[in-house]
Amino acid sequence: MKIVHIFTEYPGNYQPYNKMLIDSQIKSGMQVIIFSTVKVKSNKKYIKFIPIVDSKLVKIYSFFRYFLNILKLKTFAHCAWVDAINCISRYKPLLKYRDNLFHFHHIQMVHGLLLQFLKCFKIKYVLSVRGSDIGVIAKINTNLKNRFLRALNESSGIHAVAIHLKTSLIDLGIDNEKITVIPRQILQIENIKHKQNKNIELLTVGRIHWIKGYPYILKALRKFIRHNHAKVHLNICGSGAQKHNENQTWNDEDYHLRYLINLYNLNDNVTLHGFLEYDELLHQFNNANIYLCGSLYEGCNNSLLNALSNALVVIAPNVGGITDYINNDKNGLLYKTGSASGLYKCMVKAIEEKWVPEYNIPPDYPDDIAIINEYRKLYSSLL
């Protein structure tokens, strides 16, 4: 029996934890197949691609080669011939593995004809829930909420990365017994040696998006610079909504962030690094003294876990799944979500009062072996 993992992109630049998970599962002896909807360069035979099919020749071939499957889907889903043909043309590679257990890592993938496809061909699947889809979007968008509920209810099992997300799922009416909480793996770093910086180096990592709360970070930074003597410098690592390249134009989120930096006279105190490859990002963690998180919501923030692993002082909001692994005044400083003044007070405590955490990674946080065993138990219970 194989586990068929479905990602929007694998390995993705923004989700290094996906590769960590797959590598650990393979190392443990699990048989895995990976499908990515975004084509990536890889010499791994177990990584496959689900293409968007535009070619008429491919569709004609699919019609004759997979006619019975197309007819079955059309009858089951009560859809038009053209929709059934398009669906089978794209997802036909999945049919080869229909007797195995599928694991979808993005809830927004499972809807419409793909959901009908899974039901029609009796494909069992696990659905991962990891953040704002359930914690934010489902609360403010009824259409998407109903779409998510259909995908969740049709799944064989649900994986949540944080206890808070399990609670949110139960509030939506999902059966408690159907949900398994398995946290993300933490990259273990040995012999950590942080540089002695002239300034206090602050770090925040995340795409340039409203949910990351950058305005609150900048307001707190401005206040700290005005009222305190310590010299601080903030490094922001993360691209905007669009893919970065030499010819890219900024989107509204990018303009907003840069405008605030200029408005608050922080140009000399903030460096925007854009998107960084993972090795470059680890260098930023190694060079930092304090990690700031301004998010308005987080299911499980991978960058916070990296900060804990790198033994940084962590300042974060008390929202979502963050409190699963950060205990206030123990291994981090927590403030009220969306409060620039709360973040400022935490900065004063960490910098001026030289607060030091009692520990970094919580003592009861499971190691890689325990986490992989939890996945194994989840998969075995559904086979």
Side-chain angles (χ1 to χ4, degrees):
M1 177 66 69
K2 295 180 174 66
I3 306 302
V4 183
H5 293 277
I6 314 290
F7 295 96
T8 54
E9 181 179 2
Y10 180 89
N13 288 328
Y14 301 100
Q15 294 95 20
Y17 45 82
N18 288 336
K19 187 176 185 303
M20 194 185 309
L21 170 63
I22 297 301
D23 288 348
S24 297
Q25 289 192 356
I26 292 172
K27 186 177 180 181
S28 74
M30 288 189 196
Q31 290 185 293
V32 303
I33 297 292
I34 297 167
F35 282 96
S36 172
T37 61
V38 175
K39 194 168 188 177
V40 294
K41 293 181 179 179
S42 176
N43 58 1
K44 305 292 187 183
K45 293 183 179 179
Y46 57 82
I47 300 179
K48 304 179 184 297
F49 175 50
I50 305 174
I52 295 176
V53 178
D54 293 320
S55 169
K56 290 183 179 180
L57 289 176
V58 172
K59 293 178 182 180
I60 291 171
Y61 167 79
S62 297
F63 179 78
F64 288 104
R65 174 66 177 81
Y66 295 91
F67 176 76
L68 292 179
N69 297 118
I70 292 171
L71 178 62
K72 183 175 181 179
L73 178 61
K74 179 186 183 301
T75 304
F76 180 87
H78 305 289
C79 64
W81 276 105
V82 65
D83 294 328
I85 292 169
N86 288 339
C87 184
I88 296 296
S89 295
R90 183 175 193 190
Y91 295 112
K92 60 182 181 289
L94 304 183
L95 292 173
K96 178 180 178 181
Y97 302 98
R98 72 178 82 176
D99 295 329
N100 298 278
L101 182 64
F102 283 51
H103 186 161
F104 284 87
H105 291 264
H106 303 273
I107 190 172
Q108 295 213 30
M109 295 177 68
V110 186
H111 66 95
L113 268 185
L114 175 56
L115 179 57
Q116 295 299 318
F117 174 94
L118 297 171
K119 292 167 62 178
C120 176
F121 296 104
K122 296 181 171 55
I123 295 174
K124 288 186 175 182
Y125 67 91
V126 175
L127 193 56
S128 279
V129 175
R130 306 193 295 188
S132 59
D133 291 328
I134 296 302
V136 177
I137 295 174
K139 294 180 179 179
I140 59 179
N141 189 316
T142 302
N143 289 334
L144 284 177
K145 171 187 172 182
N146 292 333
R147 193 172 91 180
F148 296 159
L149 283 173
R150 285 191 290 271
L152 291 163
N153 287 324
E154 293 295 340
S155 68
S156 298
I158 300 168
H159 160 233
V161 296
I163 295 171
H164 172 82
L165 284 170
K166 179 175 182 177
T167 302
S168 296
L169 288 166
I170 292 171
D171 290 343
L172 288 173
I174 302 298
D175 183 6
N176 172 61
E177 297 299 319
K178 196 173 185 178
I179 309 164
T180 302
V181 178
I182 307 176
R184 286 193 183 134
Q185 294 164 276
I186 296 181
L187 181 65
Q188 301 293 332
I189 300 175
E190 299 178 357
N191 301 319
I192 299 170
K193 294 181 180 179
H194 292 291
K195 294 180 180 178
Q196 297 299 314
N197 300 307
K198 182 179 179 181
N199 298 332
I200 299 295
E201 291 292 332
L202 310 173
L203 175 65
T204 186
V205 179
R207 68 192 189 279
I208 309 306
H209 189 275
W210 64 266
I211 204 167
K212 296 301 181 182
Y214 286 111
Y216 305 102
I217 293 177
L218 295 178
K219 284 181 182 178
L221 179 63
R222 177 180 63 170
K223 186 174 181 179
F224 185 90
I225 291 170
R226 283 180 174 177
H227 299 288
N228 297 273
H229 298 295
K231 293 183 178 180
V232 295
H233 177 262
L234 172 64
N235 296 283
I236 298 177
C237 304
S239 62
Q242 300 173 359
K243 186 176 180 181
H244 274 249
N245 57 58
E246 292 180 358
N247 300 316
Q248 181 192 341
T249 56
W250 295 341
N251 61 26
D252 287 346
E253 300 272 10
D254 293 313
Y255 276 113
H256 184 213
L257 179 63
R258 285 164 174 81
Y259 175 76
L260 289 178
I261 291 171
N262 186 65
L263 179 68
Y264 296 160
N265 295 314
L266 295 174
N267 291 292
D268 294 333
N269 303 97
V270 178
T271 299
L272 298 174
H273 293 274
F275 170 76
L276 296 179
E277 295 293 342
Y278 198 55
D279 289 345
E280 296 176 279
L281 190 57
L282 290 180
H283 172 74
Q284 290 294 328
F285 277 102
N286 186 56
N287 191 55
N289 304 108
I290 297 173
Y291 187 86
L292 302 181
C293 177
S295 295
L296 299 176
Y297 183 81
E298 289 289 352
C300 181
N301 187 303
N302 192 61
S303 295
L304 275 178
L305 296 180
N306 278 339
L308 293 175
S309 182
N310 279 271
L312 299 184
V313 171
V314 170
I315 300 175
N318 58 350
V319 66
I322 287 176
T323 54
D324 282 8
Y325 47 90
I326 295 182
N327 299 310
N328 190 36
D329 235 11
K330 300 293 184 181
N331 67 331
L333 298 174
L334 298 178
Y335 64 92
K336 184 179 179 181
T337 307
S339 171
S341 61
L343 174 52
Y344 164 75
K345 290 175 183 176
C346 289
M347 291 174 65
V348 171
K349 185 170 184 176
I351 298 171
E352 298 290 348
E353 300 175 18
K354 302 186 186 305
W355 177 84
V356 177
E358 295 179 16
Y359 54 86
N360 297 109
I361 299 172
D364 59 348
Y365 199 95
D367 61 17
D368 284 3
I369 294 175
I371 288 173
I372 295 304
N373 283 339
E374 286 300 309
Y375 277 106
R376 193 182 294 277
K377 284 166 57 178
L378 169 62
Y379 297 150
S380 297
S381 69
L382 302 175
L383 296 175

